[in-house]
PDB file of all heavy atoms in Angstrom:
ATOM      1  N   PRO A  50      -7.042 -13.647  26.757  1.00 76.00           N
ATOM      2  CA  PRO A  50      -6.416 -14.080  28.030  1.00 76.00           C
ATOM      3  C   PRO A  50      -5.337 -15.244  27.905  1.00 76.00           C
ATOM      4  O   PRO A  50      -4.878 -15.876  28.795  1.00 76.00           O
ATOM      5  CB  PRO A  50      -7.574 -14.528  28.918  1.00 76.00           C
ATOM      6  CG  PRO A  50      -8.501 -15.084  28.020  1.00 76.00           C
ATOM      7  CD  PRO A  50      -8.407 -14.029  26.735  1.00 76.00           C
ATOM      8  N   LEU A  51      -5.145 -15.639  26.643  1.00 77.00           N
ATOM      9  CA  LEU A  51      -4.248 -16.763  26.304  1.00 77.00           C
ATOM     10  C   LEU A  51      -3.036 -16.379  25.615  1.00 77.00           C
ATOM     11  O   LEU A  51      -2.757 -16.816  24.415  1.00 77.00           O
ATOM     12  CB  LEU A  51      -4.959 -17.740  25.432  1.00 77.00           C
ATOM     13  CG  LEU A  51      -6.402 -18.295  26.067  1.00 77.00           C
ATOM     14  CD1 LEU A  51      -7.085 -19.088  25.012  1.00 77.00           C
ATOM     15  CD2 LEU A  51      -6.009 -19.040  27.271  1.00 77.00           C
ATOM     16  N   PRO A  52      -2.163 -15.381  26.229  1.00 81.00           N
ATOM     17  CA  PRO A  52      -0.928 -15.031  25.549  1.00 81.00           C
ATOM     18  C   PRO A  52       0.094 -16.069  25.605  1.00 81.00           C
ATOM     19  O   PRO A  52       0.078 -17.025  26.371  1.00 81.00           O
ATOM     20  CB  PRO A  52      -0.535 -13.818  26.283  1.00 81.00           C
ATOM     21  CG  PRO A  52      -1.084 -14.044  27.638  1.00 81.00           C
ATOM     22  CD  PRO A  52      -2.353 -14.814  27.456  1.00 81.00           C
ATOM     23  N   LEU A  53       1.050 -15.986  24.601  1.00 82.00           N
ATOM     24  CA  LEU A  53       2.133 -16.913  24.586  1.00 82.00           C
ATOM     25  C   LEU A  53       3.443 -16.111  24.274  1.00 82.00           C
ATOM     26  O   LEU A  53       3.315 -15.307  23.310  1.00 82.00           O
ATOM     27  CB  LEU A  53       1.928 -18.048  23.439  1.00 82.00           C
ATOM     28  CG  LEU A  53       2.931 -19.019  23.369  1.00 82.00           C
ATOM     29  CD1 LEU A  53       3.112 -19.945  24.503  1.00 82.00           C
ATOM     30  CD2 LEU A  53       2.539 -19.906  22.029  1.00 82.00           C
ATOM     31  N   ASP A  54       4.477 -16.301  24.930  1.00 85.00           N
ATOM     32  CA  ASP A  54       5.719 -15.575  24.640  1.00 85.00           C
ATOM     33  C   ASP A  54       6.440 -16.351  23.529  1.00 85.00           C
ATOM     34  O   ASP A  54       6.517 -17.536  23.512  1.00 85.00           O
ATOM     35  CB  ASP A  54       6.669 -15.576  25.724  1.00 85.00           C
ATOM     36  CG  ASP A  54       6.188 -14.525  26.889  1.00 85.00           C
ATOM     37  OD1 ASP A  54       5.253 -13.869  26.501  1.00 85.00           O
ATOM     38  OD2 ASP A  54       6.630 -14.416  27.953  1.00 85.00           O
ATOM     39  N   ASP A  55       6.877 -15.559  22.558  1.00 86.00           N
ATOM     40  CA  ASP A  55       7.396 -16.071  21.273  1.00 86.00           C
ATOM     41  C   ASP A  55       8.765 -15.458  21.036  1.00 86.00           C
ATOM     42  O   ASP A  55       8.972 -14.236  21.379  1.00 86.00           O
ATOM     43  CB  ASP A  55       6.514 -15.767  20.118  1.00 86.00           C
ATOM     44  CG  ASP A  55       6.866 -16.283  18.771  1.00 86.00           C
ATOM     45  OD1 ASP A  55       7.674 -17.270  18.673  1.00 86.00           O
ATOM     46  OD2 ASP A  55       6.194 -15.834  17.786  1.00 86.00           O
ATOM     47  N   THR A  56       9.669 -16.168  20.386  1.00 89.00           N
ATOM     48  CA  THR A  56      11.029 -15.632  19.930  1.00 89.00           C
ATOM     49  C   THR A  56      11.139 -15.749  18.510  1.00 89.00           C
ATOM     50  O   THR A  56      10.915 -16.779  17.845  1.00 89.00           O
ATOM     51  CB  THR A  56      12.100 -16.378  20.616  1.00 89.00           C
ATOM     52  OG1 THR A  56      11.907 -16.283  22.124  1.00 89.00           O
ATOM     53  CG2 THR A  56      13.490 -15.728  20.262  1.00 89.00           C
ATOM     54  N   CYS A  57      11.426 -14.553  17.797  1.00 91.00           N
ATOM     55  CA  CYS A  57      11.716 -14.543  16.414  1.00 91.00           C
ATOM     56  C   CYS A  57      13.139 -14.345  16.202  1.00 91.00           C
ATOM     57  O   CYS A  57      13.708 -13.656  16.920  1.00 91.00           O
ATOM     58  CB  CYS A  57      10.871 -13.397  15.720  1.00 91.00           C
ATOM     59  SG  CYS A  57       9.086 -13.519  15.775  1.00 91.00           S
ATOM     60  N   VAL A  58      13.734 -15.076  15.223  1.00 95.00           N
ATOM     61  CA  VAL A  58      15.080 -14.970  14.902  1.00 95.00           C
ATOM     62  C   VAL A  58      15.205 -14.699  13.395  1.00 95.00           C
ATOM     63  O   VAL A  58      14.614 -15.361  12.614  1.00 95.00           O
ATOM     64  CB  VAL A  58      15.871 -16.358  15.112  1.00 95.00           C
ATOM     65  CG1 VAL A  58      17.318 -16.082  14.807  1.00 95.00           C
ATOM     66  CG2 VAL A  58      15.738 -16.696  16.780  1.00 95.00           C
ATOM     67  N   VAL A  59      15.892 -13.563  13.087  1.00 96.00           N
ATOM     68  CA  VAL A  59      16.061 -13.276  11.716  1.00 96.00           C
ATOM     69  C   VAL A  59      16.922 -14.215  10.953  1.00 96.00           C
ATOM     70  O   VAL A  59      18.082 -14.404  11.292  1.00 96.00           O
ATOM     71  CB  VAL A  59      16.688 -11.759  11.551  1.00 96.00           C
ATOM     72  CG1 VAL A  59      16.857 -11.388  10.153  1.00 96.00           C
ATOM     73  CG2 VAL A  59      15.695 -10.770  12.283  1.00 96.00           C
ATOM     74  N   CYS A  60      16.353 -14.740   9.887  1.00 96.00           N
ATOM     75  CA  CYS A  60      17.030 -15.633   9.052  1.00 96.00           C
ATOM     76  C   CYS A  60      17.602 -15.003   7.773  1.00 96.00           C
ATOM     77  O   CYS A  60      18.635 -15.386   7.264  1.00 96.00           O
ATOM     78  CB  CYS A  60      16.249 -16.818   8.742  1.00 96.00           C
ATOM     79  SG  CYS A  60      15.784 -17.756  10.207  1.00 96.00           S
TER      80      CYS A  60
END
Side-chain angles (χ1 to χ4, degrees):
L51 301 173
L53 180 67
D54 290 352
D55 184 13
T56 301
C57 297
V58 178
V59 176
C60 295

